[in-house]
Amino acid sequence: SQTIHQWPATLVQPVGSPLSLECTVEGTSNPNLYWYRQAAGRGLQLLFYSVGIGQISSEVPQNLSASRPQDRQFILSSKKLLLSDSGFYLCAWKASSETQYFGPGTRLLVL
Amino acid sequence: GEDVEQSLFLSVREGDSSVINCTYTDSSSTYLYWYKQEPGAGLQLLTYIFSNMDMKQDQRLTVLLNKKDKHLSLRIADTQTGDSAIYFCAETVNDYKLSFGAGTTVTVRA
């Protein structure tokens, strides 16, 4: 069966520090991968998605970036965090013609 | 268009039925979804309905789809305290993307 992992689960970082969040999927090949952000009390905002290794589509201009170095690994990064980057970051995967399945999320607090 | 709307809050008594409503705008959406998010957790797929269906029932869950009005609803029968969560409606935008509503926070009171 397929599983999706995210780490860390919780992160507290100072403003201006770098960020690296990791998402890995097991039990499937060549999935579509997604990064969403959920601000407190709000809905989901799609940040990036990837249909293959090295292929990244950005949905919202911001100081975040994404990379997909391996088929089942998706990384969300920032060189300098802003206060507004605080939120709950969700990774999701999707096989062709199926729905999206979400990971457990990473809670990021920027102070 | 990609605009999914939901009411933000619903309070229901334990044992009653809950009905969560959603409107969407893209008539070409092939699937419509309901996800559940418990506090501090990711989104869990609850159920989905294909756009050529009017209704889908799965145990305590009933999904109704009115394509003419672009209206989707989720009914939870015999609501329990474990049903307290945020419920997201979503529609397919294309082969890659979903568009989500803002979520309805359901509170079950004793």
Side-chain angles (χ1 to χ4, degrees), chain A residues 32 34 36 46 49 51 57 59 94-100, chain B residues 1-2 26 28-33 90-100:
Chain A
N32 290 348
Y34 303 83
Y36 289 88
L46 178 63
Y49 70 94
V51 299
S57 295
E59 291 293 301
K94 173 183 174 299
S96 60
S97 74
E98 293 188 22
T99 190
Q100 293 182 25
Chain B
E2 304 172 14
D26 191 344
S28 64
S29 292
T30 50
Y31 287 95
L32 295 126
Y33 302 88
E91 62 172 338
T92 49
V93 174
N94 54 36
D95 286 345
Y96 307 117
K97 297 196 294 184
L98 297 178
S99 177
F100 286 85

Side-chain angles (χ1 to χ4, degrees), chain A residues 43-70:
Chain A
L44 295 170
Q45 179 185 38
L46 178 63
L47 301 175
F48 301 95
Y49 70 94
S50 170
V51 299
I53 296 175
Q55 300 179 61
I56 308 295
S57 295
S58 174
E59 291 293 301
V60 183
Q62 58 207 313
N63 72 322
L64 298 171
S65 62
S67 61
R68 185 170 178 174
Q70 300 180 46

Side-chain angles (χ1 to χ4, degrees), chain B residues 25 43 55 71:
Chain B
T25 56
L43 272 68
M55 186 184 84
H71 183 265

